[in-house]
Amino acid sequence: MSGMKLWYNHPGTEWSQGLPIGNGRIGAVIYGGTETETWSVNEVTFWSGQSESTVSQSSGKADLEVMREHFFAGDYVAGDRLAKQVLQPQKQNYGTNLPLVDVLFRFAASGKAEQFSRELRLEHALYQASYNVNGKKIMREVFATHADHVLATRLWGEEAGSISFQLGVAGRTASFAAEIMNGDAIAFRSQATEHVHSDGACGVRSAGLLKVVLSGGSLREEAGQLIVTDADEAWAYLAVNTDYRADNTDWKQACSNQIERAIARGYDALRADHIQDYRQLYSKVTIQLGESSHASLPTDERLRLLKTGQADDPGLFALFLQYGRYLMIAGSREDSPLPLHLQGIWNDGEACRMGWSCDYHLDINTQMNYYPVEVTNLGECHLPLMRYIEALSQAGRRAARDFYGSEGWVAHVFSNAWGFTAPGWETSWGLNVTGGLWIATHMMERYAYSMDHDFLAQHAYPVLKGAVEFFLDYMTIHPKYGWLVTGPSNSPENHFYSDDRSQDVQQLSMGSTLDQVLVRELFTFCLHAADRLQIDPALQLQLREAIAILPPLQIGKKGQLQEWLEDYEEAQPEHRHLSHLVALYPSHQVTPEGTPELSEAARISLERRMAQDELEDIEFTAALFGLYFARLQDGEKAYRHLSHLIGGLCFENLLTYSIPGVAGAETNIFVIDGNFGGTAAMAEMLLQSQTGIIHVLPALPKAWGSGTVTGLRARGNAEVDIEWQEHQLVRTTIYAYAAGNITVQYGGKKVSLDVEAGGVYRLDHALDALHE
């Protein structure tokens, strides 16, 4: 485990070279060297915008009926025109998460600095930097503690009196003020305002406090900064709070209370509690993917070698998986007030500058953020998303009524800190009627892994039943096929030719494949859940009847899995989204064993995308290729795409990015879903599961010839350890936490096990029981 760190022998001169820390609410990216250090600080609730009603022009079902008549008749232009009139609201104060403050250290030079090193130790969630001056080492350490709600740093040297620096803060929004307090602290306040996604006047307010403690030396104030001179050691503590959802003014006092408690406890106690709290989650999974001759190289050099194809580096892949788990723990804890957004809880400000919003995109990005959370044994980190979905389901009842005249709840392509559920302000991408359902499928996943009856009864089923009520009320029978379909709908964010290339491109149609996959998933889950809970017999009957007339998955004339109900010609075959392949992952509606023809069609869809010279080659698409080929049990292709993701679509700090030219990006722009999607893909190569089925090493690539992984989770409430050598399973151990029957699969072999809760089952390469 000692190799589980990112490290560099040169300073980080900009944000994309910085190293992230976080406590589930406050995040910081730390970069610098021997002369300066910057903490780019964020807070997950620091949002511009406000909660407000979205005005609908729709008369509900009457407008839907007219639109659908146009689409059924093939008049897509008229259908789209009406959709724009009644289902395309004006953009208001939607808002975005914003950077909060930069903490700036400037270090006094006392000689030539040599042997600089900085690192992020994943096993302890610590940032450390060190260098020598006049033969004496100077060190810095920073961490974000979830246990005590602050960021803490220690600066010290081997020689007494060697620590001297200036410390200040710089706001990242127009509304910012700071002042020195009591000669040893900087208090600041700000408001999250901007003019791209809101009116520049509304947004969350924040308060922060940064306090310095010294051993030896002196501390004074000068020009709004704190000046430390000749200290033996120095410590600094930062607290930040906001008025998000606050119903009183206690949030303003919270910072001083948190800082006082931190100082009273002392740095060593904070550090020990931080590590213990963090490792309760991190240590659940270990992974080793084989020996690497490059393990001792700096991380940026390892990335360069991987990108240029000069070496296999299995240790770098193991590091990437554990980094993904680290980012999840740092960004999404059990008590986090909001889930991970487009950039996790970190934010360099570039997304807003280019017109993007650091929000909750519900057409893959937020879902992908949480793809690895259950399988990599971080189920507690899923809980902020569960609460967010529940809140979304309540807010979405108004959208269902106002835009469609329907029962239940609905949300569309994206949402914000305030629970936005209306269609987006452009139908080509904003009318994704299953966006809320898509994110709500994470409640199904949470239950599938935990088998928690109380969670099912009290949380998952009520939310998903509300979605059932909407779709049963909203969907219609296709006059040509007799299928129950959604519409108008799109396949995010893609478009098609309805007839031939002489026609304008279209986005809206009836019954996109994504919609039908998600609706089938919803109806099937709720039918089984209601039966398990022994409730809602009338609804069960409705669901059985509805499932029987849902459209089937279809294969198009080019052998591909169709993306739409009709076999339309793709207007942009190089498009970054592959939404219809949700049937392959995370759903199990397409599997190599169960639906071989559909699996081959899914493979053809992937290969057609890959064949395009103009492929929109961005972080989440690369991760999706890895996930989909893992599900198709093609380890070599999955490995190829993961290699490209890690070697070609990561900054030096291993954070993933979207390339210029896609969706308006002007430069490489940090988007965290590639980190989490890539982590999930690696786990999927080593372990796949459905409830009652555990498939060991389903997509093992040649590059991972020998290795071990412990602590991965399987659906059905089980944990799995795996050891393999020379591409062959040596042993697997199943830890069952629920009684039932499990089929374990490896290669072409299968074995059925009747397991008891608390039972441990060890199998060898032939899936025979081991007796130890």
Side-chain angles (χ1 to χ4, degrees):
M1 297 298 292
S2 60
M4 290 301 168
K5 66 179 182 181
L6 285 68
W7 82 276
Y8 309 84
N9 57 12
H10 62 82
T13 60
E14 58 189 18
W15 193 97
S16 63
Q17 293 178 321
L19 294 170
I21 61 173
N23 67 3
R25 183 176 64 86
I26 306 170
V29 170
I30 303 172
Y31 58 95
T34 60
E35 299 177 355
T36 65
E37 181 171 278
T38 299
W39 302 356
S40 176
V41 179
N42 310 111
E43 206 276 351
V44 71
T45 67
F46 193 64
W47 271 72
S48 62
Q50 62 187 9
S51 177
E52 56 190 8
S53 300
T54 303
V55 178
S56 171
Q57 303 299 321
S58 173
S59 60
K61 287 187 170 63
D63 282 335
L64 276 180
E65 185 176 350
V66 176
M67 268 182 273
R68 289 165 172 176
E69 288 175 356
H70 289 309
F71 288 117
F72 287 141
D75 191 349
Y76 297 91
V77 174
D80 185 77
R81 185 184 306 118
L82 181 55
K84 282 178 166 54
Q85 292 172 6
V86 301
L87 296 177
Q88 186 170 278
Q90 293 296 311
K91 184 178 181 181
Q92 298 171 276
N93 290 297
Y94 177 77
T96 182
N97 181 256
L98 290 171
L100 196 153
V101 66
D102 286 344
V103 176
L104 308 169
F105 291 82
R106 295 185 179 275
F107 303 107
S110 56
K112 183 180 180 181
E114 298 177 316
Q115 296 180 301
F116 176 80
S117 176
R118 59 191 175 96
E119 64 183 38
L120 179 63
R121 294 174 53 194
L122 301 187
E123 68 271 23
H124 294 138
L126 296 171
Y127 171 88
Q128 295 175 329
S130 66
Y131 53 95
N132 289 347
V133 175
N134 301 323
K136 300 293 184 180
K137 182 170 284 189
I138 292 177
M139 291 157 281
R140 305 195 297 268
E141 180 176 85
V142 192
F143 61 87
T145 168
H146 169 260
D148 289 283
H149 314 293
V150 299
L151 271 60
T153 185
R154 177 190 177 208
L155 306 91
W156 73 104
E158 290 183 330
E159 187 172 49
S162 60
I163 302 301
S164 299
F165 60 88
Q166 300 176 24
L167 178 60
V169 297
R172 296 294 302 273
T173 60
S175 174
F176 183 86
E179 60 180 328
I180 302 296
M181 301 288 290
N182 302 320
D184 63 357
I186 303 175
F188 59 88
R189 59 190 183 276
S190 62
Q191 185 180 10
T193 56
E194 46 77 37
H195 292 274
V196 178
H197 301 289
S198 62
D199 62 7
C202 57
V204 167
R205 298 179 186 274
S206 77
L209 186 65
L210 176 64
K211 188 164 184 173
V212 173
V213 177
L214 296 185
S215 173
S218 63
L219 175 62
R220 73 180 193 277
E221 171 192 352
E222 182 179 300
Q225 296 195 338
L226 296 174
I227 312 298
V228 173
T229 304
D230 298 336
D232 301 329
E233 290 188 67
W235 300 267
Y237 303 93
L238 173 70
V240 173
N241 292 278
T242 79
D243 69 349
Y244 176 74
R245 305 292 195 198
D247 55 7
N248 53 49
T249 59
D250 290 349
W251 65 274
K252 293 182 178 180
Q253 185 63 30
C255 290
S256 60
N257 293 339
Q258 290 160 353
I259 294 295
E260 287 174 9
R261 285 195 298 268
I263 292 173
R265 298 197 66 237
Y267 183 87
D268 290 343
L270 292 181
R271 186 183 191 273
D273 285 353
H274 157 67
I275 292 172
Q276 180 183 23
D277 173 75
Y278 168 77
R279 285 192 59 80
Q280 287 176 355
L281 296 175
Y282 179 82
S283 62
K284 289 181 178 182
V285 167
T286 67
I287 185 168
Q288 200 276 335
L289 295 176
E291 297 297 325
S292 174
S293 59
H294 306 291
S296 62
L297 294 177
T299 304
D300 54 327
E301 179 65 12
R302 296 173 76 177
L303 286 172
R304 187 190 67 79
L305 291 173
L306 179 66
K307 181 177 182 178
T308 56
Q310 296 181 49
D312 291 326
D313 189 349
L316 183 58
F317 287 80
L319 178 67
F320 187 84
L321 181 140
Q322 290 289 40
Y323 188 46
R325 296 183 70 248
Y326 164 84
L327 293 169
M328 179 62 67
I329 300 168
S332 185
R333 295 301 294 267
E334 184 173 355
D335 57 356
S336 294
L338 285 170
L340 298 157
H341 59 57
L342 195 70
Q343 295 187 324
I345 63 168
W346 302 276
N347 191 338
D348 58 0
E350 287 295 286
C352 183
R353 184 184 67 80
M354 292 188 292
W356 292 17
S357 176
C358 278
D359 63 5
Y360 301 105
H361 273 52
L362 305 182
D363 59 355
I364 191 60
N365 309 93
T366 306
Q367 289 86 341
M368 187 177 288
N369 281 354
Y370 286 91
Y371 277 171
V373 67
E374 296 289 347
V375 67
T376 65
N377 214 334
L378 295 175
E380 299 90 337
C381 299
H382 219 167
L383 297 180
L385 184 63
M386 299 299 103
R387 292 191 296 272
Y388 185 81
I389 293 167
E390 288 187 274
L392 203 65
S393 72
Q394 294 302 313
R397 289 187 174 274
R398 179 165 184 170
R401 182 186 69 240
D402 290 355
F403 288 92
Y404 304 107
S406 292
E407 301 295 321
W409 71 275
V410 67
H412 294 79
V413 72
F414 48 51
S415 191
N416 60 12
W418 323 109
F420 181 90
T421 57
W425 35 90
E426 168 52 56
T427 58
S428 65
W429 49 264
L431 205 56
N432 174 23
V433 75
T434 52
L437 170 55
W438 195 350
I439 197 65
T441 60
H442 277 264
M443 300 191 103
M444 305 181 198
E445 288 292 276
R446 176 69 181 150
Y447 175 70
Y449 278 92
S450 68
M451 304 303 292
D452 185 332
H453 184 273
D454 289 342
F455 173 76
L456 176 67
Q458 298 172 23
H459 301 281
Y461 183 74
V463 167
L464 294 166
K465 180 182 176 182
V468 165
E469 291 168 350
F470 171 77
F471 284 102
L472 286 177
D473 192 23
Y474 157 83
M475 293 171 75
T476 190
I477 298 295
H478 196 295
K480 179 179 178 181
Y481 301 112
W483 293 332
L484 185 64
V485 297
T486 60
S489 69
N490 60 25
S491 185
E493 301 169 14
N494 210 347
H495 41 280
F496 60 90
Y497 294 107
S498 59
D499 187 7
D500 58 57
R501 289 181 177 269
S502 65
Q503 303 287 324
D504 291 335
V505 297
Q506 306 295 331
Q507 292 84 31
L508 299 181
S509 65
M510 298 297 295
S512 69
T513 298
L514 169 69
D515 286 4
Q516 303 308 322
V517 169
L518 292 172
V519 168
R520 183 178 294 276
E521 205 82 1
L522 171 69
F523 286 2
T524 303
F525 179 89
C526 284
L527 175 60
H528 293 158
D531 180 62
R532 179 179 290 269
L533 297 171
Q534 297 184 333
I535 56 176
D536 294 335
L539 181 61
Q540 291 185 48
L541 178 60
Q542 281 184 282
L543 287 170
R544 288 190 184 94
E545 293 173 347
I547 291 169
I549 55 173
L550 291 176
L553 292 170
Q554 301 178 84
I555 299 174
K557 58 181 175 291
K558 296 179 180 177
Q560 87 285 8
L561 189 68
Q562 282 186 200
E563 190 165 352
W564 293 275
L565 193 72
E566 308 288 347
D567 193 9
Y568 300 130
E569 184 74 19
E570 292 176 285
Q572 193 180 353
E574 72 278 8
H575 202 271
R576 62 194 176 278
H577 280 271
L578 302 109
S579 302
H580 55 309
L581 294 183
V582 164
L584 179 63
Y585 179 95
S587 176
H588 292 89
Q589 293 181 33
V590 173
T591 65
E593 293 88 359
T595 59
E597 292 183 358
L598 291 174
S599 293
E600 182 59 24
R603 179 184 293 274
I604 290 172
S605 291
L606 291 169
E607 290 175 347
R608 282 172 52 78
R609 281 287 202 277
M610 290 161 54
Q612 305 301 316
D613 292 337
E614 306 268 327
L615 175 68
E616 292 185 330
D617 182 22
I618 65 173
E619 84 301 330
F620 80 75
T621 302
L624 284 175
F625 277 126
L627 281 162
Y628 294 149
F629 280 115
R631 275 287 171 93
L632 291 172
Q633 300 173 22
D634 190 334
E636 297 311 313
K637 281 195 172 68
Y639 176 80
R640 169 185 158 192
H641 288 286
L642 282 177
S643 296
H644 173 57
L645 173 68
I646 298 170
L649 294 170
C650 281
F651 294 118
E652 280 189 11
N653 58 12
L654 271 183
L655 293 177
T656 59
Y657 61 75
S658 183
I659 62 174
V662 176
E666 300 170 9
T667 184
N668 293 337
I669 181 168
F670 164 50
V671 186
I672 204 168
D673 53 16
N675 287 99
F676 294 127
T679 297
M682 288 185 60
E684 203 71 16
M685 294 163 74
L686 300 172
L687 179 72
Q688 295 178 21
S689 66
Q690 301 177 45
T691 301
I693 301 174
I694 294 175
H695 193 171
V696 177
L697 302 180
L700 188 68
K702 293 177 182 177
W704 303 345
S706 299
T708 61
V709 64
T710 67
L712 293 181
R713 293 275 293 171
R715 292 171 179 85
N717 198 8
E719 289 186 14
V720 183
D721 297 347
I722 310 168
E723 179 183 351
W724 66 99
Q725 291 181 5
E726 297 180 356
H727 304 99
Q728 298 296 316
L729 177 68
V730 174
R731 66 177 60 84
T732 185
T733 304
I734 313 294
Y735 303 87
Y737 297 106
N741 181 267
I742 294 177
T743 296
V744 180
Q745 180 176 345
Y746 167 68
K749 311 180 190 75
K750 294 181 180 180
V751 63
S752 179
L753 302 175
D754 290 318
V755 301
E756 298 178 353
V760 179
Y761 305 87
R762 295 180 174 86
L763 305 172
D764 64 13
H765 68 281
L767 299 188
D768 292 330
L770 285 170
H771 302 284
E772 299 178 0

